[in-house]
């Protein structure tokens, strides 16, 4: 690599010889912490509780129901009303959960 | 590297983000994703849906489309939050080292498209708002060309500055712009319920319906599905900054899911009343000069929030691909400036084409990532630290064929061909196969096709890799 290419210039903040060794050293330090965390806790941060996925499943289920109903038509009113009702119940349940946990 | 430089590299760059560096909690995420999605995309897609379908059917098309697209990819959020790694870094596992960078090169222009819609909406708002405040405004600032384009450039310049300041500036900016968006939405809801009456709105007929109800519904479903799948490219850049995996999942879930759907639904109803898909026409039509002007102003500011987030989102993977690049070039020169060429009325008027023609690319990308993460990597606990290092170093593990995973790329290209055969995004009718749409959705079909083909090709082309991923150490 030529000196011109290696050096800091218009595009780069630092020259390659200063940047990459420090970058790789910091990357290694962070990967070591990541490794430790993955082995002990399975994640860098608090893991997602299983009930969180239930919210996804709920939404997916309604999306499928609406896709089928929209495709076959006509869409019955009960489908609309029960969707909004169940969404409200989900919001209330999550609210209760968060209040219970003091957040 | 000095401590400050490292902090900068973490928040503005490529390094994995550790727990103590994370800056976004659940509430911040909801604000953030609302700022992202509602100001432009939700209002535009709601407007399009509302001009082809009556309310009852339009609402199902919106919820089904947004929901299926979004929730098929929502699991990714947890993965990026777990590793603190960027979207396009982990993409290298599925597409190959160089293939991941090629995906980035494909996506950056797509992101220009998204920026263009937000910026042009700001421009359209400004040319309608300026004559109200300044009646003698020069026509150059009050016409679609060049007025809206000039205003769009100004909005992008402001947004680039905020994005350049980094994620904490983005957080505070969205805390201001998202509530503005809620005020606009609240105004629309008030108008629909209190002034127009919900019964009257539900009785209205669309102004630009297709020949049959089924064709209208399927096109509307396709557009909404396009927006739902669009998030496939946008999980990792933000989830890496989440304080918990739960925040990484639930923030986007609520912001891009139910909250965005509420905005889409009320946009549908407003479009049915006003009879145009352009949100900047709605405010004056329903609110008059005073309230319409205020609504337009708040809407314009909220669109800047959207551009800020799009620019920051693009800048991070650019830093991943070229770690040494100056942040100003990643966030302004590359991520924002070229988008200016798309600030044109013709682009703005073809939002439906963008959601479907270009939408095919992000849908197939999402399907491949989905299969790679959950069919192949999950059993082994996704990635080891050695594999993460290899992705950073562009090493041997994910080299496949000269840096490209052939299974992924064959799937990617063939899916686009299949899609254009089934659906013609330019006309909204069946594609060159002459069979498929409207009996089947093009995007949903290629999503399923890509999952199946990628899974099959991985077994055929890389049986050793598949075998390696089956063994849990």
């Amino acid at each position: 690599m030529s000196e011109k290419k290696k050096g800091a210039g218009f595009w780069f903040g630092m020259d390659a010889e200063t940047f990459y060794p420090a970058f790789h050293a910091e990357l290694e330090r962070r990967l070591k912490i990541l490794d430790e965390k993955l082995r002990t806790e399975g994640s860098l941060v608090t893991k997602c509780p299983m009930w969180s996925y239930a919210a996804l499943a709920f939404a997916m289920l309604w999306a499928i129901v609406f896709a089928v109903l929209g495709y076959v038509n006509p869409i019955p009113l009960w489908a609309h009303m029960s969707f909004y009702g169940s969404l409200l119940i989900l919001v209330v349940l999550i609210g209760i959960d968060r209040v219970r946990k003091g957040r | 590297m000095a401590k400050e430089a490292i902090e900068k590299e973490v928040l503005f760059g490529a390094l994995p983000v550790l727990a103590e560096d994370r800056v976004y909690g659940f509430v911040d995420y909801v604000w953030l994703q609302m700022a992202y999605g509602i100001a432009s995309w939700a209002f535009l897609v709601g407007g399009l849906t509302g001009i082809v379908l009556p309310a009852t059917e339009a609402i199902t098309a919106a919820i089904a489309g947004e929901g299926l697209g979004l929730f098929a990819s929502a699991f990714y959020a947890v993965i990026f939050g777990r590793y603190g790694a960027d979207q396009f870094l982990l993409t290298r596992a599925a597409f190959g080292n160089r293939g991941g960078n090629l995906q980035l090169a494909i996506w950056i222009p797509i992101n220009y498209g998204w920026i263009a819609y937000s910026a042009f909406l700001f421009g359209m708002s400004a040319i309608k708002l300026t004559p109200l405040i300044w009646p003698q405004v020069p026509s150059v600032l009050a016409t679609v060309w060049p007025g809206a384009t000039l205003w769009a450039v100004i909005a992008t310049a402001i947004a680039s500055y905020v994005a350049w300041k980094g994620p904490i500036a983005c957080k505070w900016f969205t805390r201001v712009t998202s509530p503005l968006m809620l005020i606009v939405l609240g105004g629309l809801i008030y108008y629909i319920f209190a002034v127009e009456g919900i019964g009257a709105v539900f009785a209205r007929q669309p102004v630009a319906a297709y020949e049959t109800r089924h064709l209208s519904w399927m096109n509307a479903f396709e557009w909404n599905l396009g927006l739902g799948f669009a998030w496939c490219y946008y999980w990792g850049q933000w989830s890496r900054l989440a304080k918990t995996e739960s925040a990484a999942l639930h923030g986007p879930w609520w912001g891009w899911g139910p909250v965005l759907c509420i905005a889409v639904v009320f946009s549908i109803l407003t479009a049915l009343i006003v009879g145009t898909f352009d949100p900047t026409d709605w405010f004056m039509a329903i609110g008059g000069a005073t309230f319409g002007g205020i609504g337009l102003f708040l809407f314009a500011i909220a669109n800047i929030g959207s551009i800020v987030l799009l620019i920051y989102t693009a800048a991070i993977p650019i830093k991943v691909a070229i770690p040494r690049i100056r942040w100003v070039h990643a966030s302004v020169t590359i991520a924002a400036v070229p988008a200016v060429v798309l600030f044109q009325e013709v682009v703005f008027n073809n939002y439906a084409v963008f959601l479907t023609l270009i939408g095919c690319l992000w849908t197939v990308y999402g399907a491949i990532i989905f299969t790679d993460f959950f069919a192949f990597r999950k059993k082994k606990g996704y990635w080891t630290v050695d594999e993460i290092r290899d992705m950073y170093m562009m090493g041997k593990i994910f080299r496949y064929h000269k840096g490209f995973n052939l299974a992924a790329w064959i799937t990617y290209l063939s899916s686009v061909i299949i899609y254009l055969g089934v659906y013609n995004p330019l006309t909204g009718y069946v594609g060159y196969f002459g069979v498929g749409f409207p009996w089947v959705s093009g995007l949903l079909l290629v999503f399923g096709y890509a999952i199946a083909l990628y899974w099959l090709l991985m077994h055929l082309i890389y049986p050793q890799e598949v075998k390696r991923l089956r063994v849990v150490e």
Side-chain angles (χ1 to χ4, degrees):
Chain A
M1 201 181 274
S2 72
E3 279 304 309
K4 195 179 173 187
K5 276 186 179 172
K6 272 194 276 184
F10 178 74
W11 287 101
F12 301 114
M14 284 185 215
D15 64 83
E17 280 160 2
T18 311
F19 180 83
Y20 281 111
F23 179 81
H24 288 146
E26 181 59 21
L27 177 64
E28 282 306 321
R29 188 182 79 80
R30 282 168 183 270
L31 289 178
K32 198 176 270 182
I33 295 169
L34 174 65
D35 192 31
E36 177 75 21
K37 283 275 191 182
L38 287 177
R39 281 178 206 279
T40 54
E41 294 164 40
S43 174
L44 267 177
V45 287
T46 312
K47 282 193 87 168
C48 202
M50 279 311 286
W51 71 262
S52 286
Y53 296 108
L56 267 184
F58 163 86
M60 200 68 190
L61 181 72
W62 268 110
I64 293 167
V65 168
F66 270 16
V68 172
L69 290 174
Y71 188 85
V72 295
N73 201 46
I75 300 138
L77 189 64
W78 64 258
H80 273 284
M81 299 321 290
S82 47
F83 170 71
Y84 305 126
S86 55
L87 191 63
L88 192 66
I89 291 167
L90 183 72
V91 172
V92 171
L93 286 177
I94 290 172
I96 291 170
D97 183 64
R98 290 181 75 83
V99 170
R100 200 168 50 82
K101 287 178 180 164
R103 279 186 281 159
Chain B
M1 238 189 255
K3 192 174 179 292
E4 282 170 23
I6 290 166
E7 276 173 11
K8 214 172 171 190
E9 271 309 311
V10 171
L11 294 178
F12 297 77
L15 290 166
V17 190
L18 302 179
E20 60 269 27
D21 304 319
R22 310 275 180 120
V23 290
Y24 284 99
F26 169 75
V27 176
D28 295 314
Y29 262 115
V30 176
W31 285 131
L32 185 90
Q33 313 306 7
M34 278 167 57
Y36 230 131
I38 294 178
S40 316
W41 337 128
F43 276 33
L44 278 172
V45 82
L48 283 172
T49 308
I51 61 169
V52 298
L53 281 171
T56 320
E57 291 159 1
I59 291 170
T60 55
I63 293 173
E66 304 301 336
L68 285 176
L70 175 67
F71 301 125
S73 62
F75 298 99
Y76 306 161
V78 174
I79 311 298
F80 295 110
R82 184 168 298 171
Y83 288 88
D86 174 62
Q87 175 98 21
F88 284 88
L89 180 80
L90 299 186
T91 292
R92 289 176 185 172
F95 283 87
N97 296 329
R98 289 179 180 160
N101 285 349
L102 182 57
Q103 266 299 326
L104 177 61
I106 292 169
W107 172 72
I108 293 287
I110 293 175
N111 202 55
Y112 295 151
W114 291 116
I115 292 172
Y117 286 105
S118 283
F120 208 79
L121 271 176
F122 178 92
M124 293 293 278
S125 304
I127 61 167
K128 286 164 191 170
L129 192 60
T130 324
L132 294 178
I133 304 164
W134 181 17
Q136 283 81 38
V137 62
S139 63
V140 73
L141 293 176
T143 48
V144 176
W145 172 260
T149 301
L150 285 174
W151 285 111
V153 171
I154 292 168
T156 308
I158 297 167
S160 300
Y161 176 74
V162 181
W164 170 74
K165 295 290 279 181
I168 294 168
C170 293
K171 184 166 85 173
W172 285 104
F173 197 76
T174 52
R175 279 183 182 180
V176 174
T177 57
S178 292
L180 298 184
M181 207 58 255
L182 282 186
I183 294 169
V184 173
L185 193 57
L188 291 182
I189 292 170
Y190 172 79
Y191 179 81
I192 289 161
F193 280 109
V195 181
E196 194 76 11
I198 195 75
V201 180
F202 270 70
R204 282 186 182 256
Q205 290 304 307
V207 294
Y210 286 85
E211 295 86 336
T212 65
R213 188 218 64 91
H214 186 68
L215 190 60
S216 291
W217 194 88
M218 287 301 283
N219 267 299
F221 179 57
E222 198 78 356
W223 304 329
N224 283 280
L225 207 52
L227 180 59
F229 278 124
W231 306 116
C232 287
Y233 273 126
Y234 292 87
W235 292 99
Q237 295 92 331
W238 299 106
S239 301
R240 65 195 272 278
L241 299 169
K243 288 176 182 168
T244 63
E245 285 186 9
S246 194
L249 177 68
H250 284 282
W253 192 98
W254 284 100
W256 292 340
V259 178
L260 185 133
C261 278
I262 291 169
V264 175
V265 167
F266 284 97
S267 306
I268 288 169
L269 302 181
T270 314
L272 274 164
I273 296 167
V274 180
T276 162
F277 86 96
D278 180 356
T280 61
D281 288 337
W282 301 345
F283 300 101
M284 296 299 181
I286 66 174
T290 310
F291 290 109
I294 293 168
L296 212 48
F297 175 74
L298 300 180
F299 180 71
I301 300 296
N303 269 292
I304 299 181
S306 196
I307 309 169
V308 168
L309 301 179
L310 287 164
I311 293 173
Y312 176 79
T313 312
I316 290 293
I318 291 168
K319 281 287 284 180
V320 171
I322 319 164
R324 199 158 65 96
I325 195 166
R326 282 176 196 266
W327 176 247
V328 67
H329 292 311
S331 62
V332 180
T333 318
I334 302 177
V337 173
V340 170
V341 297
L342 297 174
F343 295 174
Q344 296 178 39
E345 195 181 11
V346 65
V347 175
F348 181 72
N349 287 335
N350 282 289
Y351 184 55
V353 176
F354 181 75
L355 285 175
T356 48
L357 181 64
I358 313 296
C360 166
L361 300 178
W362 59 67
T363 302
V364 179
Y365 165 85
I368 292 169
I369 294 284
F370 180 86
T371 318
D372 194 73
F373 285 12
F374 302 111
F376 296 120
R377 318 256 167 224
K378 189 171 185 293
K379 192 170 184 185
K380 217 170 153 55
Y382 301 103
W383 299 277
T384 63
V385 166
D386 287 338
E387 287 173 326
I388 296 283
R389 182 186 294 108
D390 189 84
M391 284 187 245
Y392 270 106
M393 302 297 183
M394 307 271 282
K396 286 181 181 169
I397 300 175
F398 301 107
R399 184 168 288 170
Y400 299 103
H401 282 88
K402 298 185 177 177
F404 294 90
N405 178 349
L406 295 183
W409 283 100
I410 291 170
T411 304
Y412 191 75
L413 297 174
S414 73
S415 297
V416 174
I417 294 165
I418 294 284
Y419 179 69
L420 295 177
V422 171
Y423 178 67
N424 184 342
L426 300 175
T427 61
Y429 293 90
V430 70
Y432 63 81
F433 286 170
V435 65
F437 194 84
W439 305 113
V440 64
S441 151
L443 289 177
L444 217 49
L445 179 82
V446 290
F447 189 76
Y449 167 84
I451 287 174
L453 186 65
Y454 179 65
W455 186 87
L456 185 70
L457 289 178
M458 277 297 283
H459 282 82
L460 291 175
I461 303 175
Y462 304 108
Q464 291 301 320
E465 174 69 359
V466 173
K467 203 172 166 187
R468 181 182 77 84
L469 292 171
R470 280 206 195 113
V471 181
V472 182
E473 286 158 11

